[in-house]
């Protein structure tokens, strides 16, 4: 019996031996669903990290936290990891063409898809929904959703301050505070500042800070209890990111030769108004109206070198992308009063979602001494209605049926005078059967359908008039993608609560899957990217999360994922037949193993190993990463209000690829093709002091 089937079989057998009372269930509430259910009673593969979980691995950014999730990966190509893959599905970059991410990002309910998460300091919790979640989240959740909730206001004053210093001239200062300002008004404020020289040495400029980190994040929440039935809320976010970007080396290491290092700048402001009303007899009303404005400036030294490196062969290009984004979103829903578990009773949700997103792009490219400019605008309007019912067929068996219908309209225009529009209606659905064997054991089976919108290949259109790129006239648009997911899962805990486990097995059918293609006619510096549709794809596997309290002093955590992915019929424009190959950024195995060991009442040790197998970097070539194992250690000393911790991440100092390309870019070897990689952080050593008040 194979590993994946053995794991599921053992989990099912163990579930039938679980017996305990409800109070022994692990009490982690999933905040991103329609209703806040206990994690062990949610039908679907959802993983949650609390602030304590992130502290265990000394996580300072989303990149660090994502290493702990089964069947989750990410790609950088910027100063931070910005593009997320779940179960092998997800984008790896965004240049000219506007992409709709397969994995969305919500922070306090505000849509940050494509922008990433700048700080995870002092969160309420971080949730990963794996598998299509169209009913709940719409087009941004083809593969899943990342949901970050910041600290909620409390009516009992509380706060925490943390300060960290680490190698590479790094430091972080963060804190949060929550308190009432009146009997019915409370606030929470979270602030975080991080700075680092980064992990790159630029030998040409004799600098060690060309890939630096300089980020500030502020999140504020205000809660107003207007009446016993009406609660109002205000959320405000500020992000100011002034990072450098100088990550790729011609020598394929951490030493660069660029004379014009890039940058990765983001300024984002967001505001949300929330309403919750429980005064109706049959349903509660929840609503959120949000606004986000973001300006980014992302660029890089395209030749990765300097003038004079190889006279007669060299070229000197610089690429820069300035983006503006303004969006409004409204999510308004009715959630029925709980009907209970009696036979025939049905809980239901009915909602409406609308969004308006205006995106502007200016690409400024210097080719030798020639300045080139491309500009485009895209206005996207989304309108959807959704609903879900949960019917108690018996006291233990529930049927869940949900669906969403979404209509989107795109209006595109660019400096070349090209004007296109697109108007499509898409749909998603979910049907699950959930059997609550006892208060601590759930078995479920579900089928769900997800989707994401198509779009327009602006870069292809801008170059199609050039003779060598004439083939791009056939690449003006790319079609929507859909996926069907079949899943079986088991969740359970032992009678004494010492063992908690969750296992899910899944099989996903992708149709018209969107893949990134490139055309480089003469293998020189002129190339063009576009999004294409492969015929189909298959993604299947298993994921497991287990927590075991061995004794009063020792806790052990094991998360593991096994993934098989296949491209359908697909031949690249350069003639490479990738039919049947693994999909990009889809490692077959990944895992996170950790332990908390209480050595004394004050002294504790946390240790973890996070690993993944090798994976392909792209759906356009066969370059692969190496497998990796990251060893993380943390020793902490706890006093009533103070904590002092010494920590090490990537203790073995492995070079871990987080983005990769295969082409020629080195004039010193006449542009022979190589695998060029951006590496994640090397060995990090730091000290953190925290004060609770």
């Amino acid at each position: 019996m194979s590993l994946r089937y053995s794991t599921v079989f053992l989990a099912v057998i163990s579930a039938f031996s679980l017996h305990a009372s409800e109070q022994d269930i692990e009490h982690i509430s999933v905040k991103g669903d329609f209703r806040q259910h206990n994690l062990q009673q949610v039908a679907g593969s959802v993983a949650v990290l609390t602030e304590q979980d992130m502290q265990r691995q000394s996580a300072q950014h989303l990149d660090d936290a994502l290493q702990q999730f089964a069947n989750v990966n990410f790609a950088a190509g910027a100063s931070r990891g910005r593009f997320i893959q779940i179960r092998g599905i997800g984008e790896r970059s965004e240049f000219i063409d506007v992409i709709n991410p397969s994995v969305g990002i919500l922070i306090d309910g505000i849509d940050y898809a494509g922008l990433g998460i700048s700080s995870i300091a002092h969160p309420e919790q971080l949730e990963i929904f794996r598998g299509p979640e169209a009913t709940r989240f719409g087009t941004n959740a083809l593969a899943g959703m990342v949901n970050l909730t910041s600290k909620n206001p409390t009516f009992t004053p509380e706060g925490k301050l943390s300060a960290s210093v680490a190698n590479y001239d790094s430091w972080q200062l963060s804190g949060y505070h929550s308190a009432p300002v009146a009997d019915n008004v409370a606030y929470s404020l979270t602030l975080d500042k991080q700075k680092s020289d980064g992990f790159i040495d630029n030998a040409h400029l004799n600098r060690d800070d060309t890939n630096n980190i300089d980020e500030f994040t502020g999140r504020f929440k205000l809660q107003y209890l207007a009446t016993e039935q009406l609660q109002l809320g205000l959320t405000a976010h500020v992000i100011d990111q002034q990072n450098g970007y100088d990550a790729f080396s011609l020598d394929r290491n951490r030493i660069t030769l660029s004379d014009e290092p890039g940058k990765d700048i983001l300024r984002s402001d967001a505001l949300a108004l929330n309403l919750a009303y429980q005064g109706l007899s049959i349903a509660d009303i929840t609503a959120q109206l949000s606004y986000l404005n973001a300006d980014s400036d992302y660029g890089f030294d395209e030749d990765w070198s300097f003038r004079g490196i190889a006279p007669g062969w060299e070229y000197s290009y610089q690429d820069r992308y300035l983006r503006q984004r303004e969006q409004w979103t409204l999510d308004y829903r009715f959630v029925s009063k709980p009907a209970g578990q009696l036979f025939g009773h049905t809980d239901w949700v009915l909602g409406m979602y609308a969004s308006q997103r205006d995106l502007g792009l200016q690409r400024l490219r210097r080719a030798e001494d020639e300045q080139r400019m491309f500009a485009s605008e895209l206005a996207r309007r989304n309108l959807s209605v959704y609903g879900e019912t949960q019917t108690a067929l018996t006291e233990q068996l529930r049927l869940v049926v949900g669906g969403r219908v979404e209509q989107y309209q795109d209006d595109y225009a660019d400096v070349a005078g090209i004007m296109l529009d697109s108007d499509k209606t898409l749909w998603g659905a979910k049907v699950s059967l959930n059997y609550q064997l006892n208060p601590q054991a759930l078995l479920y089976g579900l089928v769900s359908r997800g989707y994401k919108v198509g779009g327009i290949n602006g870069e292809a259109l801008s170059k199609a008039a050039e003779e060598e790129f004439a083939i791009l006239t056939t690449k003006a648009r790319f079609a929507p993608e859909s996926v069907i997911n079949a899943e079986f899962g088991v969740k359970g805990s032992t009678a004494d609560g010492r063992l908690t486990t969750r296992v899910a097995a899944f099989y996903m059918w992708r149709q018209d899957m969107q893949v990134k293609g490139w055309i480089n006619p003469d293998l020189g510096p002129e190339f063009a990217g576009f999004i294409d549709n492969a015929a189909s794809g298959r993604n299947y596997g298993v994921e497991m999360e287990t927590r075991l309290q061995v004794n009063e002093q020792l806790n052990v955590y094991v998360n593991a994922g096994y993934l098989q992915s296949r491209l359908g019929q697909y031949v690249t424009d350069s003639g490479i037949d990738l039919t049947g190959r693994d999909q990009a950024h889809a490692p077959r195995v990944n895992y996170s193993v950790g332990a908390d060991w209480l050595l004394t009442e004050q002294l504790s040790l946390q240790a973890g190993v996070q690993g993944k197998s090798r994976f392909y970097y792209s759906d356009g070539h066969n370059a692969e990463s190496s497998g990796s194992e990251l060893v993380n250690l943390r020793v902490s000393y706890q006093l009533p209000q103070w904590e002092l911790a010494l920590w090490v991440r990537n203790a073995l100092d492995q070079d871990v690829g987080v983005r990769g390309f295969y082409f020629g870019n080195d004039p010193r070897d006449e542009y022979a093709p190589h695998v060029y990689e951006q590496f994640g952080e090397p060995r990090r050593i730091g000290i953190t002091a925290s004060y609770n008040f």
Side-chain angles (χ1 to χ4, degrees):
M1 184 179 293
S2 68
L3 171 63
R4 61 183 184 276
Y5 296 122
S6 299
T7 303
V8 176
F9 177 76
L10 291 173
V12 173
I13 294 301
S14 64
F16 282 93
S17 65
L18 303 177
H19 301 282
S21 59
E22 181 132 13
Q23 61 263 28
D24 293 324
I25 298 176
E26 184 181 21
H27 289 288
I28 297 177
S29 179
V30 177
K31 301 181 182 300
D33 208 349
F34 290 131
R35 302 174 188 270
Q36 291 196 16
H37 290 299
N38 184 281
L39 176 61
Q40 291 297 94
Q41 297 174 329
V42 173
S45 184
V46 184
V48 176
L49 289 183
T50 64
E51 182 177 11
Q52 182 180 7
D53 295 325
M54 298 185 205
Q55 179 179 292
R56 180 182 304 115
Q57 298 293 340
S58 302
Q60 294 176 291
H61 189 266
L62 183 64
D63 297 8
D64 309 317
L66 289 177
Q67 307 277 5
Q68 302 184 52
F69 294 106
N71 284 334
V72 175
N73 201 9
F74 69 92
S79 60
R80 296 286 204 181
R82 184 173 299 162
F83 303 96
I84 302 170
Q85 302 85 43
I86 294 179
R87 295 178 175 176
I89 302 175
E91 290 65 41
R92 297 167 301 284
S93 62
E94 181 179 29
F95 294 100
I96 287 182
D97 303 319
V98 175
I99 62 171
N100 193 97
S102 300
V103 179
I105 293 176
L106 292 177
I107 306 178
D108 296 326
I110 301 173
D111 182 6
Y112 279 81
L115 296 177
I117 294 179
S118 57
S119 170
I120 57 171
H122 307 297
E124 192 79 20
Q125 63 188 39
L126 175 68
E127 302 167 350
I128 301 286
F129 291 77
R130 288 176 292 224
E133 289 284 349
T135 300
R136 173 63 184 89
F137 300 111
T139 188
N140 284 345
L142 178 81
M145 178 62 72
V146 177
N147 183 54
L148 177 70
T149 305
S150 59
K151 288 289 186 183
N152 290 316
T154 61
F155 285 87
T156 301
E158 63 179 32
K160 183 176 184 178
L161 291 174
S162 297
S164 299
V165 293
N167 54 340
Y168 298 96
D169 289 329
S170 305
W171 61 266
Q172 178 182 16
L173 182 62
S174 64
Y176 81 89
H177 187 250
S178 181
V181 295
D183 290 341
N184 58 350
V185 180
Y187 76 91
S188 67
L189 176 65
T190 303
L191 301 174
D192 180 46
K193 177 67 175 181
Q194 296 189 44
K195 294 196 73 172
S196 173
D197 283 348
F199 322 122
I200 293 293
D201 289 323
N202 187 309
H204 175 71
L205 298 177
N206 193 28
R207 289 172 53 190
D208 62 2
D209 62 350
T210 54
N211 202 51
N212 70 300
I213 297 296
D214 184 354
E215 299 174 343
F216 170 79
T217 302
R219 300 187 180 116
F220 174 78
K221 287 183 175 180
L222 186 70
Q223 184 180 22
Y224 172 42
L225 306 181
T227 69
E228 290 185 2
Q229 292 81 31
L230 178 63
Q231 298 88 44
L232 302 175
L234 171 70
T235 301
H237 295 167
V238 174
I239 298 172
D240 187 3
Q241 172 182 300
Q242 303 289 326
N243 296 347
Y245 179 47
D246 184 29
F248 282 94
S249 165
L250 290 180
D251 294 317
R252 303 187 292 285
N253 53 26
R254 296 182 187 272
I255 301 175
T256 63
L257 299 171
S258 51
D259 56 357
E260 299 174 296
K263 50 190 171 182
D264 188 11
I265 295 173
L266 172 66
R267 170 70 191 200
S268 174
D269 303 290
L271 191 68
L273 300 175
N274 298 278
L275 176 147
Y277 180 65
Q278 296 90 29
L280 299 181
S281 60
I282 62 170
D284 298 332
I285 299 174
T286 63
Q288 182 180 73
L289 175 65
S290 67
Y291 171 78
L292 181 143
N293 185 282
D295 295 295
S296 63
D297 185 351
Y298 165 78
F300 50 91
D301 190 337
E302 192 174 316
D303 53 272
W304 305 345
S305 62
F306 56 90
R307 293 179 186 265
I309 187 174
W313 283 97
E314 69 189 42
Y315 74 101
S316 179
Y317 282 22
Q318 187 185 50
D319 215 355
R320 186 179 175 193
Y321 300 82
L322 290 85
R323 281 188 164 85
Q324 304 83 41
R325 171 169 161 181
E326 186 175 29
Q327 72 181 34
W328 291 89
T329 60
L330 172 65
D331 197 351
Y332 189 91
R333 74 177 68 109
F334 294 87
V335 181
S336 68
K337 302 288 188 182
Q341 297 288 335
L342 297 179
F343 171 73
H345 282 201
T346 297
D347 293 328
W348 53 268
V349 174
L350 181 63
M352 182 271 290
Y353 174 88
S355 72
Q356 172 180 313
R357 182 178 298 181
D358 296 308
L359 305 168
L361 166 69
Q362 280 189 305
R363 183 194 189 189
L364 306 177
R365 192 177 188 220
R366 183 187 55 75
E368 300 299 345
D369 295 320
E370 176 190 356
Q371 296 292 334
R372 304 175 184 177
M373 193 272 286
F374 174 83
S376 67
E377 293 182 354
L378 177 70
R380 173 166 291 171
R381 310 291 182 262
N382 294 67
L383 179 64
S384 62
V385 292
Y386 58 86
E388 183 179 272
T389 62
Q390 296 189 29
T391 303
L393 303 180
T394 70
E395 289 188 2
Q396 295 175 299
L397 188 64
R398 295 180 70 84
L399 173 66
V400 179
V401 179
R404 178 184 290 244
V405 177
E406 182 163 350
Q407 189 268 344
Y408 79 93
Q409 180 178 340
D410 284 352
D411 292 304
Y412 171 87
D414 63 31
V415 293
I418 297 173
M419 301 179 67
L420 295 172
D421 60 67
S422 181
D423 191 338
K424 297 282 187 181
T425 300
L426 304 172
W427 64 277
K430 176 180 178 180
V431 178
S432 71
L433 200 59
N434 314 328
Y435 185 68
Q436 194 73 52
L437 181 65
N438 58 54
Q440 288 185 265
L442 172 72
L443 286 77
Y444 69 88
L446 66 83
V447 177
S448 57
R449 184 184 191 272
Y451 60 87
K452 73 170 179 176
V453 302
I456 297 165
N457 279 316
E459 183 174 9
L461 291 172
S462 71
K463 285 185 170 289
E466 302 175 28
E467 182 178 351
E468 63 268 35
F469 292 103
I471 190 176
L472 293 176
T473 57
T474 64
K475 307 293 185 182
R477 301 172 186 265
F478 54 96
E481 178 180 351
S482 63
V483 62
I484 295 177
N485 172 58
E487 184 172 320
F488 172 74
V490 180
K491 300 184 178 186
S493 303
T494 55
D496 57 7
R498 289 181 176 271
L499 174 65
T500 300
T501 188
R502 295 178 285 274
V503 180
F506 60 90
Y507 198 106
M508 304 172 74
W509 293 264
R510 301 178 67 181
Q511 295 298 321
D512 295 319
M513 60 180 292
Q514 296 173 8
V515 295
K516 184 71 175 182
W518 299 91
I519 289 182
N520 185 211
D522 57 6
L523 302 181
E526 295 294 338
F527 59 91
F530 59 91
I531 299 174
D532 204 355
N533 293 96
S536 63
R538 299 289 184 267
N539 300 60
Y540 56 93
V542 63
E543 48 223 11
M544 176 192 72
E545 297 163 339
T546 297
R547 175 183 63 83
L548 173 63
Q549 183 177 343
V550 179
N551 52 46
E552 295 298 324
Q553 288 75 40
L554 181 62
N555 283 306
V556 178
Y557 306 84
V558 180
N559 302 330
Y562 175 80
L563 174 67
Q564 287 278 1
S565 64
R566 293 287 182 269
L567 288 168
Q569 185 69 34
Y570 183 58
V571 179
T572 71
D573 285 272
S574 59
I576 303 174
D577 188 351
L578 299 180
T579 302
R581 201 208 70 180
D582 286 2
Q583 296 166 24
H585 270 253
R588 293 194 176 185
V589 175
N590 82 311
Y591 63 88
S592 175
V593 180
D596 291 351
W597 188 12
L598 188 62
L599 303 174
T600 69
E601 290 186 0
Q602 289 81 33
L603 187 65
S604 61
L605 169 67
Q606 291 89 34
V609 180
Q610 299 161 347
K612 67 181 69 171
S613 60
R614 59 197 306 148
F615 56 85
Y616 291 99
Y617 278 124
S618 172
D619 292 325
H621 55 72
N622 285 315
E624 290 184 274
S625 75
S626 300
S628 62
E629 297 81 29
L630 300 180
V631 177
N632 303 319
L633 300 170
R634 178 185 176 95
V635 178
S636 59
Y637 189 79
Q638 183 74 54
L639 294 173
Q641 290 181 281
W642 285 91
E643 182 188 45
L644 184 65
L646 172 66
W647 48 267
V648 182
R649 291 200 303 265
N650 190 8
L652 302 182
D653 200 23
Q654 288 199 352
D655 286 334
V656 180
V658 293
R659 187 75 172 106
F661 298 98
Y662 180 78
F663 60 89
N665 204 38
D666 193 340
R668 298 171 301 182
D669 61 12
E670 302 178 8
Y671 298 105
H674 299 284
V675 179
Y676 292 107
E677 297 176 283
Q678 177 181 350
F679 297 113
E681 67 174 18
R683 181 187 294 120
R684 302 297 310 284
I685 303 174
I687 299 174
T688 299
S690 300
Y691 175 69
N692 290 279
F693 58 94

